[in-house]
Amino acid sequence: MTVLDDGDARLAVQAPPLLARFNTAGVIAAPDVQVARRLGSLVGERDEDVLLAVALATRAVRSGSVCLHLEDAQSFAADAETPPGELPWPDPAAWRAAIEASPLVAVGVDGAADRPVRWVGGRLYLDRYWRDEMVVRRQADARLAAPAAPVDDARLAAALDRLFPDAGDALQRQAAAAAVDGRLTVLTGGPGTGKTTTVARLIAVLQDVAGPLRIALAAPTGKAAARLQEAVHEVVDELGAADRERVGTLTASTLHRLLGWLPGSATRFRHGPGRHLPHDVVVVDETSMVSLPLMARLLEALRPDARLVLVGDPDQLASVEAGAVLGDLVARTPAGDGGVVRLLTVHRQEGDSAILPLAAAVRAGDAEETLRLLRAGHPSVELVETAEDELPGEVELGSLRADAAAAGRALVHAAREGDAAAALRALGSHRLLVAHRRGPAGVAHWSALVEQWVGEAAGPHPDPLDPRSPWYPGRPILVTANDRETGLYNGDTGVVVADGEGLVAVLGDPDSPVRVRTHRLPAVETVHAMTVHRGQGSQFARVSLVLPPATSPLLTRELLYTALTRAREHVRVLGTAAAVRRAVQTPVRRASGLRTPL
């Protein structure tokens, strides 16, 4: 049984007895207790069974869920390694009755609107998340039910024939037709299935049959937006002259920038219900990373007659915040119906790469096939097995060190010479991914280790450097805060290079990088390694993934799948067979009501 000691910051001060018992057992944390106590004090609610439910609902949101399924409440004890039988769980029927009778709780869809907690269908919501879920539900349903403006059927057929001429393009063609006919299209598929190609040609179809249209491309992070823009341009450049002219030069931005990011607020934007976006079509890539609150703000900001195209892979990690909106939207609508199209055919694969078959085995939950492919000796896939519950030692780290040192040496030398394009390409040649931020399996440990390897491989800088300065040529950086002035956003990556006049950070596309003097940069951190969540939306030539021990609660199918699909040419997994099995057999479960009819 996991028990918190008196000095642990997760221990709530002056918690009521029942909440204190669950808090010291590690099931709920101090913030969960304080939220429950604060909300209870607003209406004089002292029933500890009700306050425990509210604390668990808060804990659920911190874990990525939108609500608490009361019947699943004891799963939090499993996560805390606390046997459920050792805790005084309320009787289910009495617990439910207490919740429904509480002045703290609005009961049902039409319950009182001024209460901070809502109870619907066995699910307990903090009011903010209930409201956001209802926005997404109602907006999505309205868009799926309402057809777009009619178009010339003959012109549409001709455009589809021209832009999707191959017999294997049937699903891509279906997605384009759905975007013309409806106001919400959900386009999903795994890596290499042609999602971006479909988006670019879909836009060309729309501009032909319903244009001219104002198009917005967006993604949750700056890196994902840059990749979307680059990929769309590559496809558009291959189109005929007339289609290229209709589409024009599209630019992509982060969702925060599209909505009008307001400094000092993470939930309010310039565009919303009273000030709609001017665009006729909005395309959002990497939608699996979009949280429920952000999706609600986007839907509120769209004009009722605008088209929305959501693109992504629902098998990837969901947002670090609450919700799994893309997965919910896909699950609540049958494939091919109501604007949801899932691409199945893999069009892009490096030679006879085993990466995509490996990802498919993980997605299918087949642990033995996953291990077989990892151990098969294919040049594109590698498993470095470690001793049970131990991190890799020097022998196991040999191939990882070689890749990290080679990429780092190329990056540092290019940065010293002022070659921004070469430095950025080197930055994308290899990336070390981990599951945890802290601890022996976390980013800090591995980033420091890789930095040491790179320093040894690159050698000292030929000119004396100020030892007090954090800036040096070849420092890889990750932006950790949005900054409107520089146009940089949380998740952007780059390199510090020497340019003859001093040091400048270069970020984005190697062929047209953004340049920002180091003194103007927002908050950044050195990025020799990153979490899998941070790597989402990016791709690298080679990827190394260090798995934590099999007991880690972060080991999930989505984490492993997302990490594997960041690699274009080669992926290396370092960890135990038990950790691989645990990851493949543990899908993420995020509680939500979006999949359930009201």
Side-chain angles (χ1 to χ4, degrees):
M1 177 173 176
T2 301
V3 178
L4 306 184
D5 60 41
D6 291 343
D8 198 305
R10 293 171 293 175
L11 192 66
V13 178
Q14 297 180 337
L18 183 65
L19 272 65
R21 180 78 180 274
F22 280 81
N23 177 218
T24 56
V27 178
I28 53 178
D32 309 326
V33 174
Q34 300 307 332
V35 169
R37 290 183 62 199
R38 174 61 178 162
L39 294 180
S41 69
L42 294 176
V43 297
E45 176 58 84
R46 295 183 177 84
D47 187 328
E48 285 199 59
D49 286 356
V50 175
L51 297 182
L52 175 61
V54 175
L56 288 167
T58 307
R59 161 75 155 80
V61 170
R62 288 196 300 106
S63 302
S65 291
V66 174
C67 57
L68 170 71
H69 281 285
L70 201 64
E71 62 186 21
D72 295 334
Q74 294 193 25
S75 66
F76 290 135
D79 290 343
E81 299 179 5
T82 303
E86 296 185 18
L87 291 169
W89 292 96
D91 172 76
W95 203 5
R96 179 179 182 123
I99 291 170
E100 292 177 346
S102 173
L104 189 63
V105 180
V107 179
V109 176
D110 300 319
D114 58 349
R115 297 186 180 183
V117 183
R118 185 169 295 264
W119 172 257
V120 180
R123 304 184 300 274
L124 194 66
Y125 294 82
L126 300 181
D127 185 65
R128 169 191 167 188
Y129 295 95
W130 162 255
R131 291 176 183 272
D132 285 343
E133 184 174 284
M134 289 301 292
V135 168
V136 173
R137 176 191 295 275
R138 288 170 173 162
Q139 290 270 3
D141 287 347
R143 289 182 170 278
L144 288 170
V151 298
D152 185 318
D153 290 340
R155 184 157 188 160
L156 173 59
L160 292 171
D161 289 342
R162 182 179 70 255
L163 290 158
F164 298 95
D166 297 335
D169 292 342
L171 288 173
Q172 295 178 324
R173 180 187 178 112
Q174 180 183 334
V180 172
D181 292 338
R183 295 181 187 173
L184 173 61
T185 304
V186 182
L187 175 63
T188 74
T193 53
K195 294 189 295 294
T196 307
T197 298
T198 304
V199 165
R201 294 176 179 269
L202 174 156
I203 290 171
V205 171
L206 281 169
Q207 290 288 29
D208 185 1
V209 303
L213 302 170
R214 291 165 290 185
I215 309 282
L217 303 180
T221 68
K223 185 70 174 179
R227 283 190 58 232
L228 172 63
Q229 179 175 308
E230 180 184 2
V232 167
H233 285 179
E234 288 178 358
V235 177
V236 171
D237 287 345
E238 298 172 355
L239 302 180
D243 286 312
R244 287 201 307 272
E245 184 176 354
R246 290 190 192 99
V247 173
T249 302
L250 297 171
T251 59
S253 71
T254 65
L255 276 170
H256 286 79
R257 186 173 185 178
L258 175 70
L259 292 172
W261 175 68
L262 295 175
S265 175
T267 59
R268 293 174 55 250
F269 299 94
R270 184 176 300 109
H271 292 287
R275 186 180 181 183
H276 288 139
L277 290 164
H279 305 93
D280 304 299
V281 181
V282 174
V283 178
V284 180
D285 197 16
E286 297 290 354
T287 308
S288 64
M289 300 167 63
V290 180
S291 67
L292 176 75
L294 186 56
M295 182 61 72
R297 302 293 82 75
L298 172 64
L299 287 165
E300 287 178 328
L302 292 174
R303 298 200 328 264
D305 60 342
R307 292 175 170 92
L308 175 63
V309 181
L310 301 177
V311 185
D313 186 345
D315 297 307
Q316 287 189 21
L317 282 167
S319 164
V320 294
E321 300 176 62
V325 181
L326 180 63
D328 287 343
L329 289 177
V330 171
R332 74 198 298 264
T333 309
D337 183 35
V340 177
V341 180
R342 180 158 196 159
L343 303 181
L344 301 173
T345 304
V346 175
H347 299 278
R348 170 184 54 80
Q349 189 171 349
E350 300 291 340
D352 62 344
S353 172
I355 295 174
L356 296 184
L358 176 62
V362 172
R363 187 176 64 241
D366 191 337
E368 297 311 311
E369 176 65 6
T370 298
L371 283 168
R372 187 192 71 77
L373 289 168
L374 283 170
R375 291 166 169 163
H378 196 282
S380 62
V381 169
E382 176 184 359
L383 174 64
V384 180
E385 291 196 58
T386 60
E388 290 297 320
D389 296 325
E390 291 184 10
L391 293 173
E394 289 189 14
V395 174
E396 291 93 348
L397 291 177
S399 59
L400 166 59
R401 178 170 184 166
D403 269 357
R409 182 172 56 247
L411 183 150
V412 171
H413 289 171
R416 290 173 179 173
E417 294 169 2
D419 190 339
L424 285 170
R425 290 191 180 96
L427 183 66
S429 62
H430 175 263
R431 182 54 47 87
L432 173 59
L433 299 177
V434 299
H436 291 260
R437 286 194 57 81
R438 300 177 182 84
V443 167
H445 167 80
W446 287 101
S447 189
L449 187 58
V450 173
E451 188 167 19
Q452 176 187 328
W453 294 341
V454 172
E456 293 171 0
H461 193 279
D463 300 319
L465 296 174
D466 183 352
R468 297 167 299 177
S469 173
W471 306 111
Y472 55 88
R475 180 188 176 189
I477 58 172
L478 170 73
V479 177
T480 60
N482 296 329
D483 184 65
R484 262 201 322 184
E485 290 187 7
T486 59
L488 300 180
Y489 291 87
N490 189 352
D492 289 348
T493 57
V495 185
V496 177
V497 304
D499 68 349
E501 299 179 4
L503 297 179
V504 63
V506 294
L507 305 96
D509 185 353
D511 295 322
S512 57
V514 175
R515 294 174 177 266
V516 180
R517 290 293 168 187
T518 55
H519 70 276
R520 296 187 60 230
L521 285 171
V524 300
E525 59 186 37
T526 303
V527 63
H528 287 291
M530 63 170 48
T531 63
V532 178
H533 261 293
R534 282 286 194 187
Q536 200 165 355
S538 301
Q539 280 200 317
F540 310 95
R542 301 173 72 85
V543 165
S544 297
L545 169 67
V546 176
L547 291 178
T551 54
S552 169
L554 297 185
L555 269 178
T556 65
R557 182 182 302 167
E558 289 79 2
L559 179 130
L560 180 56
Y561 176 84
T562 301
L564 297 176
T565 54
R566 298 312 91 206
R568 293 193 306 269
E569 300 171 9
H570 181 271
V571 65
R572 173 187 299 110
V573 177
L574 299 93
T576 66
V580 173
R581 286 193 180 93
R582 168 68 184 270
V584 174
Q585 294 170 352
T586 310
V588 170
R589 295 181 63 188
R590 288 195 167 189
S592 163
L594 195 55
R595 303 184 182 199
T596 307
L598 289 176

